[in-house]
Amino acid sequence: MKTISFYRTASGKCPVKEHLDSLTDVQATKIAWVLKLIRELDQIPSKYFKKLVKTNDIWEARVDVGRNTFRLLGFFMVES
């Protein structure tokens, strides 16, 4: 299982968490569901997660909720 960590500023703020906290319950639940797929599945449907073209391994989690599309960008870290 993969670990998902959100970026934190030097002062300890977490912009992604703050944004998620501002969303409706339906929006936040769908985003949490997609993040759970990414964390638990080896083969994630490209509808939800794919590598961005012409990048050095930047990945996009994409979540559609109604007319809104939420995108979270990230990358993989290999722990040694």
Side-chain angles (χ1 to χ4, degrees), residues 27-73:
Q27 293 168 330
T29 299
K30 179 82 181 267
I31 292 170
W33 180 79
V34 170
L35 292 175
K36 184 177 177 184
L37 287 179
I38 293 167
R39 190 180 73 217
E40 294 178 354
L41 298 179
D42 290 329
Q43 295 290 330
I44 305 142
S46 62
K47 174 181 179 178
Y48 302 115
F49 192 63
K50 65 181 176 181
K51 182 182 174 295
L52 295 179
V53 177
K54 296 183 182 180
T55 68
N56 289 333
D57 292 328
I58 297 176
W59 291 74
E60 174 192 57
R62 181 184 175 116
V63 184
D64 294 316
V65 183
R67 292 183 170 187
N68 297 306
T69 299
F70 299 94
R71 292 180 171 97
L72 290 87
L73 302 180

